[in-house]
Amino acid sequence: MTSTRERQRAAARARLEREMAERAAKARKRRQTQAIVGAVAALVLVVAGTVWLVTSLGGDDKKENTASTDGYAQCAYTQVPTEARSKQVKDVGVPPNQQEDTGTQTMTIDTNLGPITAKIKRDDVPCTAGSFTYLASKGFFDNTKCHRLVTEGIKVLQCGDPSATGKGWRDTDGTGGPGYGFAEENLPTDKRPPYPEGVIAMANSGQPGSTGSQFFIVYGDSQLDPNYTVLGTITEGMDVVKQVAAAGDDGAFAQQAGGGHPKKEIVINKLTMSEIQGG
């Protein structure tokens, strides 16, 4: 028969075992909580560090080729050496290197078929907008013809070659431009399609930093590689472009870049850039 003292000892051992088990459970829970808090803290530090790194090193990819200070961008317009220029080059000097990078402008292309207008945001393309404004002030685009139309694969009407003038404009090889070039801006690397209908963008030779005066109007979604500066968005006159596209092209550039001269001539009587609004 079990004595009273033995029963008391057994009860004491049981209480001690329960207390130890409870303490162990609490310790485990405390360690788990500390581990979770530590992991969250580490994650916060990683995220904060990543944001700082991206902000410090990446910046705004729309302005990756410019340095912006106090509302102005420093643009590198690089002159083409005289000996390297073709006869299609029209030298009207070089724009100022310092360009405003806030506000918007309206581009107006007065053509023989009707006006085409586009909205341009300076914060997206300060250097390209500055170049266009400069060239327009020199009458660079006036009385030139849009020299290339592509209706298959991509849908674009290309203009801005100063050599596409007069009765012999169809003899142009499409290499005309100003006496300088500059870096691409506002590349649509994260857009699908990169060049949707209504976009106006800059042509180049395929080499980085070869943007000049030539531009193209996209009249149907186009899967071009995102290597061409998106200048702005057409706000009026897309019907004019589609009218030219409907007439087709002569296939003159089919063996090179595709397309040809538009069968329906479109002449830029005058191209102007408005004053900067909201800068």
Side-chain angles (χ1 to χ4, degrees):
M1 187 172 180
T2 305
S3 68
T4 301
R5 186 179 296 276
E6 288 174 340
R7 288 197 299 272
Q8 289 175 342
R9 288 177 178 173
R13 283 197 300 271
R15 284 196 301 271
L16 180 60
E17 289 172 356
R18 285 197 302 270
E19 289 174 359
M20 292 179 66
E22 289 173 357
R23 289 174 183 174
K26 289 179 180 179
R28 285 197 301 271
K29 187 174 182 180
R30 186 164 53 250
R31 287 194 297 271
Q32 290 172 350
T33 301
Q34 290 172 342
I36 292 171
V37 171
V40 170
L43 180 60
V44 169
L45 288 173
V46 169
V47 171
T50 302
V51 170
W52 177 85
L53 187 62
V54 170
T55 303
S56 300
L57 300 182
D60 185 348
D61 63 357
K62 292 177 180 179
K63 298 181 184 179
E64 61 186 356
N65 297 307
T66 64
S68 179
T69 56
D70 298 327
Y72 287 88
Q74 297 298 321
C75 304
Y77 300 112
T78 305
Q79 286 187 291
V80 179
T82 302
E83 62 274 13
R85 296 178 183 179
S86 68
K87 63 180 181 179
Q88 284 78 25
V89 167
K90 181 179 179 179
D91 189 356
V92 293
V94 180
N97 286 335
Q98 193 174 64
Q99 295 291 339
E100 292 187 51
D101 64 0
T102 59
T104 62
Q105 286 180 277
T106 297
M107 175 193 293
T108 301
I109 308 171
D110 176 29
T111 81
N112 61 315
L113 303 177
I116 301 171
T117 60
K119 180 180 180 181
I120 297 171
K121 296 172 65 178
R122 275 267 182 167
D123 59 336
D124 287 340
V125 286
C127 300
T128 311
S131 174
F132 252 89
T133 301
Y134 176 81
L135 293 175
S137 73
K138 300 293 184 180
F140 187 91
F141 302 99
D142 300 352
N143 302 311
T144 63
K145 301 181 182 182
C146 295
H147 64 281
R148 180 183 173 219
L149 174 71
V150 185
T151 59
E152 296 182 4
I154 59 174
K155 297 181 178 181
V156 300
L157 175 66
Q158 189 165 327
C159 318
D161 184 337
S163 67
T165 59
K167 293 182 179 179
W169 74 277
R170 292 182 185 274
D171 294 329
T172 180
D173 61 3
T175 62
Y180 64 88
F182 55 99
E184 291 65 48
E185 300 177 289
N186 196 28
L187 300 179
T189 53
D190 59 344
K191 301 293 182 10
R192 295 294 180 274
Y195 300 92
E197 178 177 321
V199 158
I200 181 168
M202 301 300 298
N204 60 44
S205 70
Q207 297 299 314
S210 61
T211 296
S213 62
Q214 291 194 34
F215 61 94
F216 57 90
I217 299 172
V218 183
Y219 65 89
D221 292 356
S222 297
Q223 292 290 347
L224 284 162
D225 289 335
N227 299 326
Y228 309 94
T229 297
V230 174
L231 176 61
T233 305
I234 299 297
T235 55
E236 181 185 351
M238 189 58 70
D239 58 321
V240 172
V241 180
K242 290 190 174 183
Q243 181 185 151
V244 175
D249 65 84
D250 63 7
F253 300 119
Q255 300 302 315
Q256 303 168 25
H261 304 107
K263 290 181 179 179
K264 187 177 186 68
E265 291 188 12
I266 175 168
V267 183
I268 298 176
N269 297 322
K270 191 171 187 62
L271 188 152
T272 58
M273 295 286 287
S274 73
E275 295 293 322
I276 299 173
Q277 303 296 318

